[in-house]
Amino acid sequence: MLRTGEVARMLGVSQNTVREYVRRGLLPCVFTPNDRRLFYENDVTEFQDNHMVYTKAGGRKK
């Protein structure tokens, strides 16, 4: 399971953007009893494959 910060680094976006993806239903997560988000790595890689984010230079964000 990955935390929000780890997912943000994987996707090259901010933690707020990851939270927005969750809010919009684009990226599934599991909420812990204290309302923290945890992500399955498979869900994140699938999201990455389906929603490729490109940098201005034309390369894929890492």
Side-chain angles (χ1 to χ4, degrees), residues 17-29 31 37 39:
T17 300
V18 173
R19 291 182 194 105
E20 182 66 16
Y21 292 157
V22 170
R23 188 186 72 74
R24 291 183 182 191
L26 299 173
L27 182 61
C29 74
F31 284 94
R37 294 164 188 83
F39 302 84

Side-chain angles (χ1 to χ4, degrees), residues 5-50:
E6 294 169 315
V7 173
R9 282 188 292 281
M10 285 177 69
L11 300 177
V13 298
S14 71
Q15 291 185 35
N16 285 337
T17 300
V18 173
R19 291 182 194 105
E20 182 66 16
Y21 292 157
V22 170
R23 188 186 72 74
R24 291 183 182 191
L26 299 173
L27 182 61
C29 74
V30 174
F31 284 94
T32 65
N34 58 351
D35 283 335
R36 299 203 183 247
R37 294 164 188 83
L38 293 176
F39 302 84
Y40 289 105
E41 189 168 354
N42 289 343
D43 289 336
V44 177
T45 55
E46 184 176 323
F47 174 86
Q48 203 169 25
D49 290 342
N50 293 328

